[in-house]
Amino acid sequence: MREPIVPAGPGATPDLVELAKVVARQRAEMDRLREQAATSAVVERAKGVVMALSGCSADAAGETLLQRAKAARRTLLEECWITLGELAPARSGEPSARPAGETGDATAGLPECAPPGTPSAPDDVAAALSRLARVLVRTGTPQELARCLLEHLGQDLAADSVMIYGRRTGGSLELLGHAGIDERLATRWRQVPPFSGVAALDALESGEPLWLEDFAGDSTRYLLIGDPPGRWRSRAWLPLPGGEGPDICVGVLRERSGPFTPRDRAHLRGVVRLCAGRLRTFTAPSEPAAEPLPDSVRALFEALPVPAMLLTPLRGPSGGTEDFRVDALTAQAAGVLGGTGGDPAGRRLREVRPDLVGTPVWRGCLDTLAGGGTYESEPFAHQEAVNGATELATYSARVTPLEDALVVTWVRHASSDRQEQRLADLQRLGNLGWANWNLTTSEASWSSQVFAILGRNPADGPVRLVDLPALAVPEDRSALSHAVDALIHGGLPLDTPFRVRGTRGVRHLRLAAEAVADLHGTPVEVHGFVQDLTARRRVELALMETERAIVTQHDVLQAERSLVARLQNALLPLPERVVDLAGLRVEVAYLPAQAGIHVGGDWFSAIELPDGDALFVVGDVAGHGIGAVATMAQLRFTAKGMVITGSSLTGALARLNTLLLHSRDSHATATMVLARYRPAERRLVWAQAGHIPPLLLRDGEVTYLRRPSGILLGGTTTPRFEEAECRLEPGDRVLLYTDGLVERPPENIDVGLGRLAEAVAAHPGDEAGSLGTLLEALLEDERRDDVCVLDIRVPKERQPPGQPVRDSSARRVSSP
């Protein structure tokens, strides 16, 4: 039989591909059902609005929506979103949206499809709005809606950022959702006081879109958002259409300059009109009305001599605390708060000091409110203005619960307090403590850190300098004692390591000290420090031990590599020149791995059988080292013996599989290709066990032989092996090789097979040594695995003139 040559496939297992397709179909169906359920909810809510306004039935309301959508050239879902966003109950005294004669119609009280004279949206804009309407059903928060709008507008209008603001009671703005800006900038612009020159506020006041298309002129009239403000060169602010509900404005910001085209404006108007229904379903920012403070509380805060303020928590829709309202504060607290200017009383804390959000003080307020008790912060630096100059001061904050409110006070640390705190921080971070000894009075003073380092109870007091060596372990007392004597009597500074034994085990310490002498040069006082070096010493010892272990292991591995390499050279001798077997020219290459120090289990065989046929074998044992080489030798000699004694190729593979399953290393596995060449017929019969396919070069075209069935050796007790054959032609070149020739982790092996095919096509040389030229061109990087190659060539024959070349079973394929 003949084995056709096919392209190397992508390497995916058919069962896995089919399973992936099933999972993909199920996920798509789940997404479709979820979107259908959400869409149905939007349609039903819109029908309910129409029924409430007109008193018609559900069927009539549905038909009304369909007719309105058709008249306006919109989808039903678009019409439902617009209905939810724009419909509002008619106020008393206002005329109906329909003539009096049509009040019985199901559409009575509904707004017109579009104002008279409004041009229809272009087809591409209508299609884009239709896609947006379908996506809106999956947005559940203003933040998700902002991201959805940026994805929609970024493609069509080159929008770079989207911001959604809502107007709270009092006129200030709150950022409900954003996309395309970082959190730092969002935090800075989360609360916008009702200042003049705010574009979003002007758009809400006028009820009409505001187009900022001239950056130079707009920057003189408006307070532009941005860091720097010139990041966005053109902007548009569009308020929601009129109706019941909160005042909301959508901002679209672009980094490019230039005007918004009529098409862009129509598109943005349609987007905001479409999103109005979804935005009105979100809960608007809520803010409880501030109750008047008792006169006694106000008088108390006016009289307090320290920075203090009274905060009332503001709850969000979920019940959690979103912000605090400053209900009362002292004059000193107003200076500490600084912030956006103006009187902080009655305003939100986020608005006054947005930089406090997320700080330990903010979290302390939340913990105290949740019942965590009084909170006291660590000292922190704060910039403040003193007599017109900026000064860096150090404060601590204290948060105390007061019924449902909080009292926050600040304590300013004096310069001496800061120096003492710095010294304490230095001792704590350096794990050291200072000590003084008066040699005249025999008095001593230690910092608290020294008592902790030496494991001594502060109630027992410090010890004299001459008695300090007694605290060390016996092995270190002599050296420490000599150093102390030299310091006391000779004034020589000391820097000596010693060890102490305590409840925490042996500690490695360091004593560094120097003496202060009188006018006669006699030491009268000693000051220095004691440092705990236990952690560093343990790291040093562990590092030394690790280095010794690495050196020892490296020596062992080097010795093993030398032994294995000698064993491998004895078992797998390489021919020094091209070998002729059964009329074929065979060249062999074996290149050990360059990465690592282990020797692999790659091997080959190329012998002539007693009947004149040639046997070619290439195999690869999993693993490295002595075990892999031993398994390689066992398989190599057993495979040759089986074929020489008459076993078929598939029979030999089956017996080798059994041999591995019952070997000493029951987990050993290997891949192999067995090929038998019959010179009389020029037939190459081959079988494989989990190995990559041979490569065939014919007339400059590179192909891979289709692999017959065969699983790796040692993988299962019931393997199935098949044979395939290919008729070779004069001038053909066949490569048998191990995976080290083509694999380069982490890339797919198909990439390596394609690289090999290209290299063989580019270097088809027929002269001796051409295999080395091919390998030099192919193996450019450091080899991570052994490489074993059998290069088999069929000598060319002179063809009589006019005689066609015999057809083989090979067909050209694209490289994998």
Side-chain angles (χ1 to χ4, degrees):
M1 67 178 182
R2 292 187 177 183
E3 176 63 30
I5 301 169
V6 298
T13 304
D15 292 342
L16 295 179
V17 173
E18 292 302 323
L19 180 59
K21 291 180 179 179
V22 172
V23 173
R25 287 196 297 270
Q26 291 177 342
R27 288 178 177 173
E29 180 64 15
M30 289 295 295
D31 292 341
R32 187 189 66 80
L33 292 175
R34 291 193 187 100
E35 182 171 346
Q36 183 179 6
T39 302
S40 299
V42 174
V43 174
E44 292 303 318
R45 287 201 301 268
K47 288 168 61 176
V49 171
V50 176
M51 292 167 62
L53 293 177
S54 63
C56 65
S57 65
D59 292 339
E63 183 63 26
T64 297
L65 291 172
L66 284 172
Q67 293 300 325
R68 290 177 56 78
K70 183 178 180 181
R73 298 178 61 192
R74 289 192 286 258
T75 65
L76 176 62
L77 190 57
E78 288 180 82
E79 186 63 37
C80 291
W81 280 123
I82 293 175
T83 300
L84 292 174
E86 294 186 348
L87 291 182
R91 296 178 177 86
S92 57
E94 292 183 350
S96 172
R98 294 284 180 182
E102 300 181 11
T103 54
D105 188 83
T107 60
L110 304 182
E112 297 291 338
C113 296
T118 300
S120 300
D123 292 341
D124 58 336
V125 172
L129 294 177
S130 178
R131 291 193 299 270
L132 177 61
R134 293 195 299 270
V135 178
L136 286 179
V137 299
R138 296 195 293 269
T139 60
T141 64
Q143 187 69 15
E144 293 178 0
L145 178 59
R147 288 195 291 265
C148 172
L149 290 179
L150 182 58
E151 292 177 2
H152 175 80
L153 298 174
Q155 299 176 0
D156 197 74
L157 277 75
D160 299 291
S161 302
V162 170
M163 303 179 77
I164 302 176
Y165 273 105
R167 182 155 57 176
R168 297 189 292 105
T169 304
S172 62
L173 296 178
E174 181 176 6
L175 185 61
L176 305 180
H178 62 86
I181 66 173
D182 55 60
E183 286 300 325
R184 180 184 60 82
L185 189 61
T187 300
R188 177 181 174 187
W189 289 90
R190 192 172 302 278
Q191 305 291 337
V192 180
F195 293 158
S196 61
V198 177
L201 282 173
D202 283 3
L204 286 172
E205 290 293 337
S206 65
E208 294 294 332
L210 186 60
W211 311 98
L212 305 183
E213 301 162 321
D214 178 13
F215 178 79
D218 295 332
S219 59
T220 62
R221 291 180 296 161
Y222 293 104
L223 182 63
L224 298 181
I225 296 174
D227 187 16
R231 172 183 172 185
W232 294 291
R233 310 296 292 184
S234 58
R235 309 151 190 253
W237 293 96
L238 299 95
L240 261 62
E244 298 295 328
D247 290 338
I248 297 176
C249 190
V250 178
V252 178
L253 298 82
R254 304 189 303 184
E255 294 183 2
R256 74 177 189 184
S257 58
F260 292 84
T261 65
R263 176 192 174 280
D264 293 344
R265 295 192 178 198
H267 191 171
L268 288 175
R269 290 178 187 271
V271 165
V272 173
R273 191 180 183 199
L274 196 63
C275 295
R278 172 51 86 194
L279 281 168
R280 296 193 193 283
T281 62
F282 300 139
T283 303
S286 58
E287 183 174 352
E291 298 181 0
L293 289 175
D295 293 339
S296 58
V297 175
R298 187 179 299 105
L300 174 64
F301 274 85
E302 290 177 354
L304 285 176
V306 296
M309 64 180 177
L310 180 66
L311 300 179
T312 298
L314 300 178
R315 311 286 182 178
S318 62
T321 301
E322 291 186 343
D323 205 346
F324 297 91
R325 185 179 60 237
V326 183
D327 284 339
L329 74 164
T330 63
Q332 298 90 333
V336 173
L337 286 177
T340 58
D343 186 6
R347 297 164 62 185
R348 288 191 172 201
L349 189 57
R350 282 181 180 266
E351 180 182 338
V352 178
R353 282 293 300 274
D355 57 308
L356 284 178
V357 179
T359 63
V361 174
W362 183 276
R363 293 192 292 270
C365 291
L366 296 178
D367 292 342
T368 302
L369 196 62
T374 300
Y375 166 78
E376 294 186 5
S377 75
E378 296 290 333
F380 58 89
H382 174 68
Q383 290 276 8
E384 62 181 7
V386 179
N387 297 327
T390 302
E391 181 179 304
L392 186 64
T394 302
Y395 282 89
S396 294
R398 179 184 178 89
V399 183
T400 306
L402 180 63
E403 296 183 351
D404 294 333
L406 299 175
V407 176
V408 182
T409 56
W410 285 269
V411 178
R412 194 176 193 273
H413 296 273
S415 176
S416 59
D417 296 334
R418 295 198 298 271
Q419 294 294 341
E420 184 176 344
Q421 181 63 39
R422 290 168 184 166
L423 180 59
D425 292 341
L426 177 63
Q427 295 184 80
R428 175 177 53 83
L429 295 174
N431 205 5
L432 55 83
W434 59 263
N436 285 332
W437 289 275
N438 191 315
L439 303 181
T440 303
T441 62
S442 298
E443 295 178 349
S445 60
W446 290 356
S447 69
S448 59
Q449 194 75 8
V450 174
F451 288 97
I453 292 173
L454 293 173
R456 183 176 177 83
N457 190 342
D460 297 335
V463 300
R464 298 185 305 165
L465 183 58
V466 295
D467 298 330
L468 187 64
L471 301 179
V473 298
E475 296 83 358
D476 297 343
R477 289 175 186 170
S478 177
L480 183 58
S481 180
H482 282 95
V484 170
D485 287 343
L487 174 65
I488 294 176
H489 299 103
L492 299 178
L494 68 83
D495 190 340
T496 306
F498 65 99
R499 292 168 293 173
V500 298
R501 191 182 304 275
T503 56
R504 294 181 295 170
V506 176
R507 313 289 294 174
H508 295 264
L509 309 181
R510 170 195 178 198
L511 173 62
E514 62 182 6
V516 178
D518 58 13
L519 294 177
H520 304 287
T522 303
V524 295
E525 186 179 11
V526 173
H527 55 80
F529 66 87
V530 179
Q531 186 176 17
D532 189 346
L533 303 177
T534 304
R536 189 172 74 180
R537 183 58 179 165
R538 286 175 179 170
V539 171
E540 291 174 352
L541 293 175
L543 182 59
M544 292 172 58
E545 185 65 27
T546 302
E547 289 176 349
R548 284 196 295 267
I550 290 175
V551 171
T552 301
Q553 183 66 17
H554 187 269
D555 293 342
V556 171
L557 293 177
Q558 287 289 10
E560 179 182 334
R561 178 181 176 86
S562 178
L563 172 63
V564 172
R566 290 196 298 270
L567 178 61
Q568 188 182 53
N569 291 333
L571 296 174
L572 198 65
L574 290 175
E576 298 179 355
R577 57 185 178 80
V578 176
V579 179
D580 292 327
L581 289 178
L584 301 175
R585 291 175 48 232
V586 181
E587 192 172 352
V588 181
Y590 178 83
L591 301 174
Q594 294 173 322
I597 64 173
H598 288 297
V599 178
D602 292 21
W603 89 93
F604 69 91
S605 284
I607 63 172
E608 188 168 330
L609 299 175
D611 58 1
D613 293 353
L615 175 66
F616 301 105
V617 186
V618 167
D620 185 1
V621 174
H624 297 80
I626 294 177
V629 173
T631 304
M632 175 268 288
Q634 187 180 34
L635 293 176
R636 182 172 185 264
F637 293 113
T638 304
K640 291 195 298 183
M642 288 181 178
V643 177
I644 290 174
T645 56
S647 177
S648 65
L649 300 183
T650 55
L653 289 177
R655 291 179 176 84
L656 291 174
N657 180 76
T658 304
L659 179 65
L660 276 187
L661 290 175
H662 295 84
S663 64
R664 175 177 54 85
D665 185 1
S666 60
H667 300 290
T669 59
T671 65
M672 183 186 301
V673 169
L674 282 173
R676 183 168 188 155
Y677 177 69
R678 303 184 186 276
E681 304 167 354
R682 283 207 297 265
R683 285 195 306 132
L684 183 71
V685 181
W686 66 289
Q688 62 87 27
H691 206 83
I692 44 185
L695 177 146
L696 173 64
L697 173 64
R698 174 174 294 169
D699 298 331
E701 297 181 353
V702 178
T703 54
Y704 286 94
L705 302 183
R706 184 196 297 272
R707 295 197 310 170
S709 297
I711 192 171
L712 83 165
L713 302 178
T716 178
T717 57
T718 58
R720 179 173 175 266
F721 300 107
E722 294 180 354
E723 291 183 353
E725 70 173 52
C726 179
R727 181 178 177 84
L728 300 182
E729 300 291 344
D732 283 356
R733 182 182 187 183
V734 178
L735 289 184
L736 304 181
Y737 51 93
T738 56
D739 56 7
L741 184 64
V742 293
E743 282 189 337
R744 289 185 188 176
E747 69 180 17
N748 191 287
I749 193 173
D750 290 344
V751 179
L753 292 173
R755 183 167 51 246
L756 173 60
E758 293 174 359
V760 171
H763 299 82
D766 193 31
E767 68 280 359
S770 59
L771 177 58
T773 304
L774 171 65
L775 296 181
E776 289 178 1
L778 187 64
L779 302 174
E780 298 177 351
D781 301 330
E782 182 183 47
R783 294 189 300 277
R784 297 176 176 269
D785 198 1
D786 295 357
V787 175
C788 184
V789 183
L790 281 179
D791 187 359
I792 305 169
R793 297 175 183 269
V794 182
K796 294 182 179 180
E797 294 181 354
R798 296 182 61 85
Q799 299 289 343
Q803 180 176 342
V805 178
R806 285 174 295 176
D807 183 24
S808 72
S809 60
R811 58 186 177 89
R812 188 181 186 279
V813 297
S814 58
S815 299

